[in-house]
PDB file of all heavy atoms in Angstrom:
ATOM      1  N   ALA A 624      65.647 162.592  45.309  1.00  0.00           N
ATOM      2  CA  ALA A 624      64.374 161.973  44.925  1.00  0.00           C
ATOM      3  C   ALA A 624      64.438 160.452  44.986  1.00  0.00           C
ATOM      4  O   ALA A 624      63.403 159.792  44.895  1.00  0.00           O
ATOM      5  CB  ALA A 624      63.972 162.417  43.523  1.00  0.00           C
ATOM      6  N   ARG A 625      65.619 159.908  45.158  1.00  0.00           N
ATOM      7  CA  ARG A 625      65.789 158.457  45.220  1.00  0.00           C
ATOM      8  C   ARG A 625      66.044 157.945  46.635  1.00  0.00           C
ATOM      9  O   ARG A 625      66.312 156.760  46.837  1.00  0.00           O
ATOM     10  CB  ARG A 625      66.921 158.030  44.288  1.00  0.00           C
ATOM     11  CG  ARG A 625      66.498 158.069  42.828  1.00  0.00           C
ATOM     12  CD  ARG A 625      67.630 158.273  41.858  1.00  0.00           C
ATOM     13  NE  ARG A 625      67.132 158.190  40.479  1.00  0.00           N
ATOM     14  CZ  ARG A 625      66.509 159.193  39.840  1.00  0.00           C
ATOM     15  NH1 ARG A 625      66.326 160.351  40.465  1.00  0.00           N
ATOM     16  NH2 ARG A 625      66.083 159.037  38.606  1.00  0.00           N
ATOM     17  N   LEU A 626      65.951 158.847  47.610  1.00  0.00           N
ATOM     18  CA  LEU A 626      66.114 158.441  49.005  1.00  0.00           C
ATOM     19  C   LEU A 626      64.801 157.884  49.554  1.00  0.00           C
ATOM     20  O   LEU A 626      63.722 158.305  49.139  1.00  0.00           O
ATOM     21  CB  LEU A 626      66.521 159.639  49.866  1.00  0.00           C
ATOM     22  CG  LEU A 626      67.955 160.162  49.764  1.00  0.00           C
ATOM     23  CD1 LEU A 626      68.104 161.383  50.664  1.00  0.00           C
ATOM     24  CD2 LEU A 626      68.959 159.091  50.149  1.00  0.00           C
ATOM     25  N   PRO A 627      64.875 156.939  50.520  1.00  0.00           N
ATOM     26  CA  PRO A 627      63.667 156.598  51.282  1.00  0.00           C
ATOM     27  C   PRO A 627      63.160 157.838  52.010  1.00  0.00           C
ATOM     28  O   PRO A 627      63.913 158.787  52.261  1.00  0.00           O
ATOM     29  CB  PRO A 627      64.169 155.525  52.259  1.00  0.00           C
ATOM     30  CG  PRO A 627      65.414 154.995  51.648  1.00  0.00           C
ATOM     31  CD  PRO A 627      66.041 156.137  50.902  1.00  0.00           C
ATOM     32  N   ILE A 628      61.883 157.833  52.359  1.00  0.00           N
ATOM     33  CA  ILE A 628      61.275 159.049  52.908  1.00  0.00           C
ATOM     34  C   ILE A 628      61.894 159.451  54.255  1.00  0.00           C
ATOM     35  O   ILE A 628      62.142 160.640  54.497  1.00  0.00           O
ATOM     36  CB  ILE A 628      59.750 158.872  53.041  1.00  0.00           C
ATOM     37  CG1 ILE A 628      59.120 159.001  51.658  1.00  0.00           C
ATOM     38  CG2 ILE A 628      59.147 159.886  53.989  1.00  0.00           C
ATOM     39  CD1 ILE A 628      57.625 158.999  51.635  1.00  0.00           C
ATOM     40  N   LYS A 629      62.161 158.486  55.135  1.00  0.00           N
ATOM     41  CA  LYS A 629      62.712 158.853  56.451  1.00  0.00           C
ATOM     42  C   LYS A 629      64.056 159.576  56.327  1.00  0.00           C
ATOM     43  O   LYS A 629      64.246 160.648  56.915  1.00  0.00           O
ATOM     44  CB  LYS A 629      62.810 157.613  57.335  1.00  0.00           C
ATOM     45  CG  LYS A 629      61.451 157.107  57.827  1.00  0.00           C
ATOM     46  CD  LYS A 629      61.611 155.923  58.762  1.00  0.00           C
ATOM     47  CE  LYS A 629      60.238 155.446  59.252  1.00  0.00           C
ATOM     48  NZ  LYS A 629      60.338 154.283  60.158  1.00  0.00           N
ATOM     49  N   PRO A 630      65.039 159.030  55.584  1.00  0.00           N
ATOM     50  CA  PRO A 630      66.286 159.780  55.393  1.00  0.00           C
ATOM     51  C   PRO A 630      66.066 161.109  54.672  1.00  0.00           C
ATOM     52  O   PRO A 630      66.759 162.090  54.956  1.00  0.00           O
ATOM     53  CB  PRO A 630      67.146 158.825  54.555  1.00  0.00           C
ATOM     54  CG  PRO A 630      66.622 157.474  54.840  1.00  0.00           C
ATOM     55  CD  PRO A 630      65.149 157.666  55.052  1.00  0.00           C
ATOM     56  N   LEU A 631      65.107 161.146  53.748  1.00  0.00           N
ATOM     57  CA  LEU A 631      64.836 162.392  53.041  1.00  0.00           C
ATOM     58  C   LEU A 631      64.411 163.486  54.004  1.00  0.00           C
ATOM     59  O   LEU A 631      64.891 164.628  53.917  1.00  0.00           O
ATOM     60  CB  LEU A 631      63.744 162.162  51.994  1.00  0.00           C
ATOM     61  CG  LEU A 631      63.225 163.418  51.282  1.00  0.00           C
ATOM     62  CD1 LEU A 631      64.316 164.051  50.433  1.00  0.00           C
ATOM     63  CD2 LEU A 631      62.007 163.091  50.426  1.00  0.00           C
ATOM     64  N   PHE A 632      63.525 163.155  54.935  1.00  0.00           N
ATOM     65  CA  PHE A 632      63.066 164.162  55.884  1.00  0.00           C
ATOM     66  C   PHE A 632      64.175 164.588  56.844  1.00  0.00           C
ATOM     67  O   PHE A 632      64.181 165.720  57.329  1.00  0.00           O
ATOM     68  CB  PHE A 632      61.846 163.644  56.643  1.00  0.00           C
ATOM     69  CG  PHE A 632      60.553 163.918  55.923  1.00  0.00           C
ATOM     70  CD1 PHE A 632      60.231 163.230  54.767  1.00  0.00           C
ATOM     71  CD2 PHE A 632      59.675 164.883  56.376  1.00  0.00           C
ATOM     72  CE1 PHE A 632      59.040 163.486  54.091  1.00  0.00           C
ATOM     73  CE2 PHE A 632      58.483 165.149  55.705  1.00  0.00           C
ATOM     74  CZ  PHE A 632      58.172 164.451  54.556  1.00  0.00           C
ATOM     75  N   LYS A 633      65.115 163.694  57.126  1.00  0.00           N
ATOM     76  CA  LYS A 633      66.253 164.067  57.978  1.00  0.00           C
ATOM     77  C   LYS A 633      67.162 165.079  57.290  1.00  0.00           C
ATOM     78  O   LYS A 633      67.797 165.900  57.954  1.00  0.00           O
ATOM     79  CB  LYS A 633      67.038 162.822  58.369  1.00  0.00           C
ATOM     80  CG  LYS A 633      66.316 161.914  59.350  1.00  0.00           C
ATOM     81  CD  LYS A 633      67.159 160.704  59.705  1.00  0.00           C
ATOM     82  CE  LYS A 633      66.428 159.797  60.692  1.00  0.00           C
ATOM     83  NZ  LYS A 633      67.218 158.589  61.050  1.00  0.00           N
ATOM     84  N   THR A 634      67.244 165.022  55.955  1.00  0.00           N
ATOM     85  CA  THR A 634      68.116 165.956  55.232  1.00  0.00           C
ATOM     86  C   THR A 634      67.579 167.378  55.235  1.00  0.00           C
ATOM     87  O   THR A 634      68.281 168.307  54.819  1.00  0.00           O
ATOM     88  CB  THR A 634      68.299 165.514  53.770  1.00  0.00           C
ATOM     89  OG1 THR A 634      67.031 165.575  53.084  1.00  0.00           O
ATOM     90  CG2 THR A 634      68.845 164.102  53.688  1.00  0.00           C
ATOM     91  N   ARG A 635      66.367 167.581  55.707  1.00  0.00           N
ATOM     92  CA  ARG A 635      65.792 168.933  55.718  1.00  0.00           C
ATOM     93  C   ARG A 635      66.584 169.883  56.613  1.00  0.00           C
ATOM     94  O   ARG A 635      66.494 171.102  56.461  1.00  0.00           O
ATOM     95  CB  ARG A 635      64.339 168.878  56.189  1.00  0.00           C
ATOM     96  CG  ARG A 635      63.439 168.053  55.289  1.00  0.00           C
ATOM     97  CD  ARG A 635      62.024 167.972  55.829  1.00  0.00           C
ATOM     98  NE  ARG A 635      61.312 169.233  55.660  1.00  0.00           N
ATOM     99  CZ  ARG A 635      60.106 169.467  56.139  1.00  0.00           C
ATOM    100  NH1 ARG A 635      59.478 168.529  56.835  1.00  0.00           N
ATOM    101  NH2 ARG A 635      59.511 170.623  55.937  1.00  0.00           N
TER     102      ARG A 635
END
Side-chain angles (χ1 to χ4, degrees):
R625 285 154 176 80
L626 286 178
I628 284 186
K629 288 183 179 179
L631 173 65
F632 273 71
K633 289 181 180 179
T634 64
R635 298 177 73 186

